[in-house]
Amino acid sequence: MSTITDLKYLKIVLETALLTAQEPLSVSQLKRLFTEDVKAALINDILEDIQGDWRGRGIELVKLASGWRFRARAEFTPYLNRLNPEKPPRYSRAVMETLAIIAYKQPVTRGDIEAIRGVSVSTNVMQTLLERGWIEVIGHKDVPGRPGLYATTRKFLDDLSFVSLNDLPPLAELGSLVVPDPQTQDDSPDAGADDIPLDDEADNLEPVAE
């Protein structure tokens, strides 16, 4: 991989893999594309070169928590949504408050979350976040009962287009994902149709599918 021709071909291979991938690809995954020992530093240099090639176009190459991926630029999202007009999922205040506590205070137990929120945390709320892939149990607290310690996942960061937890926005910005209060929902004929329930006590409801 010492000649310009080889480097150009290596670049094409990396670009092709990233354009056809369904999920972000890490440098270690990209190294497996080649039988030769391609150094991580060289791959990173080429990825940055590819990133520059796509700058100013409708698609961009971005680095996320779990790797690199191509995505449409945010300003073109309204146009693309017209091809797929399904409403994105929005989550109840209970879900978003629980997620925020885990994200900003992790690792935390369910008891820690309840102490901060001042109410019990329903199984339905935790299951919603687990099924979404946004949280996981990373260990157990060394206290009686050994409760699970919850933390956010790389998928959580990927879905928010972040590289690390340092990129988390102010807590107030998470409110855009919270469904309106019930009295507000009553004013709209379609309100609540696709929303996860607000009640923390809604354990008897089926988990909402993505």
Side-chain angles (χ1 to χ4, degrees):
M1 293 296 174
S2 59
T3 69
I4 296 297
T5 303
D6 288 334
L7 289 176
K8 285 183 177 179
Y9 190 74
L10 190 153
K11 180 178 177 180
I12 292 172
V13 173
L14 290 173
E15 188 175 57
T16 301
L18 289 164
L19 282 168
T20 57
Q22 299 298 312
E23 300 291 338
L25 296 175
S26 66
V27 172
S28 61
Q29 287 175 306
L30 291 170
K31 284 170 64 74
R32 297 205 300 267
L33 292 168
F34 309 101
T35 56
E36 303 90 344
D37 181 20
V38 182
K39 301 299 182 183
L42 177 58
I43 290 179
N44 277 312
D45 287 344
I46 296 175
L47 291 173
E48 291 177 3
D49 192 28
I50 295 173
Q51 194 175 46
D53 291 345
W54 287 80
R55 192 166 290 121
R57 302 174 69 177
I59 294 175
E60 61 183 347
L61 179 63
V62 296
K63 184 179 182 181
L64 303 174
S66 58
W68 294 75
R69 78 174 308 170
F70 277 101
R71 69 176 182 190
R73 291 185 181 277
E75 59 264 37
F76 297 105
T77 300
Y79 300 97
L80 299 177
N81 285 344
R82 293 176 187 138
L83 295 176
N84 184 22
E86 295 182 7
K87 290 168 56 178
R90 299 183 69 203
Y91 297 93
S92 73
R93 189 170 304 279
V95 170
M96 292 308 297
E97 286 180 355
T98 300
L99 176 60
I101 290 170
I102 296 172
Y104 288 88
K105 299 290 186 181
Q106 60 186 305
V108 292
T109 66
R110 188 163 167 172
D112 294 332
I113 299 169
E114 292 175 342
I116 294 172
R117 292 195 64 221
V119 295
S120 62
V121 178
S122 79
T123 301
N124 190 60
V125 166
M126 301 302 292
Q127 191 64 26
T128 295
L129 293 172
L130 288 166
E131 291 183 354
R132 183 74 174 125
W134 282 348
I135 66 170
E136 62 182 347
V137 177
I138 62 169
H140 294 82
K141 193 170 184 178
D142 191 16
V143 296
R146 295 183 56 78
L149 287 166
Y150 292 93
T152 53
T153 64
R154 286 188 175 184
K155 186 177 189 306
F156 166 74
L157 293 174
D158 287 346
D159 287 352
L160 292 181
S161 299
F162 295 153
V163 175
S164 72
L165 292 171
N166 292 329
D167 298 324
L168 284 172
L171 280 170
E173 294 186 17
L174 292 179
S176 62
L177 292 175
V178 179
V179 299
D181 290 331
Q183 54 266 39
T184 305
Q185 293 179 1
D186 292 341
D187 295 334
S188 171
D190 297 324
D194 300 315
D195 296 335
I196 295 174
L198 285 168
D199 295 329
D200 275 11
E201 295 79 16
D203 286 348
N204 58 330
L205 298 180
E206 293 294 329
V208 176
E210 291 184 37

